[in-house]
Amino acid sequence: MAHVEDVQRDGLKRYYFLRAGVSVAWIIAAVAVGTSNPLIGGVLLVAYPAWDALANALDARSNGGFAANPPQTFNLIVSLVVAFAVLFALQADPRRVLTVFGVWAAFAGILQLVAGVRRWRAVGGQWPMVLSGAQSVLAGVFMIAGSIAGGGHPPAPVEIAPYAGFGAFYFLVAAISLTLKGRKSR
């Protein structure tokens, strides 16, 4: 059984490093060109939840499939819906994009909490994912509140960058935690 746990831990470790790396690349793009070019900014805003959908698909497939991973499967669907909702909001009322992100962040945080708790028993090292899920819920609430209080304004990817930065941090910490846990068990 220990071998199966090691394989699962190694897969999650690689996945978490990938998530952290893509988030950092997205943040760099958001800061470097997302604010000065509205078209690229819009593409980045749609790409963020679209990447999350793809990442959840990769996660579910590499950890027993979609049926064995309901939180990731559901998050995949939700993230795809959000990517289309962001695209729609950019066209219909760009001031609502931050609200869409806020609702998504809160909901995705709950799903991440569930996935972290489920995996905690099997592979350990999930405390960063549990913290990340809780932080995502709070970030979502603050995005929604800020959008409502500010009356909504056209979005810029740099407004999402802190959220992506915390996500990158937690994924990196989780990957390092699993790396250290793997070394101790060998």
Side-chain angles (χ1 to χ4, degrees):
M1 186 71 177
H3 177 67
V4 172
E5 289 172 359
D6 290 341
V7 169
Q8 187 177 14
R9 186 180 306 118
D10 289 345
L12 280 174
K13 178 177 62 177
R14 285 189 302 277
Y15 170 72
Y16 291 159
F17 275 126
L18 174 65
R19 290 289 306 248
V22 170
S23 291
V24 168
W26 187 91
I27 293 166
I28 291 169
V31 171
V33 293
T35 55
S36 62
N37 186 319
L39 178 61
I40 292 174
V43 168
L44 286 167
L45 288 168
V46 172
Y48 193 82
W51 156 248
D52 191 72
L54 176 61
N56 276 285
L58 293 171
D59 184 14
R61 279 190 34 195
S62 66
N63 287 292
F66 295 104
N69 294 286
Q72 290 89 334
T73 303
F74 193 56
N75 207 352
L76 159 79
I77 294 164
V78 169
S79 294
L80 283 175
V81 169
V82 169
F84 284 110
V86 169
L87 182 61
F88 177 76
L90 284 168
Q91 300 298 315
D93 187 0
R95 297 171 300 157
R96 298 296 160 229
V97 170
L98 195 57
T99 304
V100 172
F101 264 95
V103 170
W104 175 54
F107 191 69
I110 292 167
L111 294 174
Q112 190 173 21
L113 273 165
V114 171
V117 169
R118 287 182 71 218
R119 288 179 171 162
W120 197 315
R121 289 177 242 135
V123 295
Q126 295 301 298
W127 62 269
M129 293 294 92
V130 171
L131 288 175
S132 178
Q135 183 270 329
S136 186
V137 171
L138 288 174
V141 169
F142 282 113
M143 282 186 225
I144 294 166
S147 179
I148 292 169
H153 58 280
V158 295
E159 293 178 73
I160 307 300
Y163 173 70
F166 277 109
F169 170 76
Y170 285 121
F171 279 117
L172 182 61
V173 170
I176 292 168
S177 177
L178 288 175
T179 299
L180 295 175
K181 185 170 177 62
R183 288 184 181 157
K184 287 179 185 177
S185 69
R186 289 182 184 153

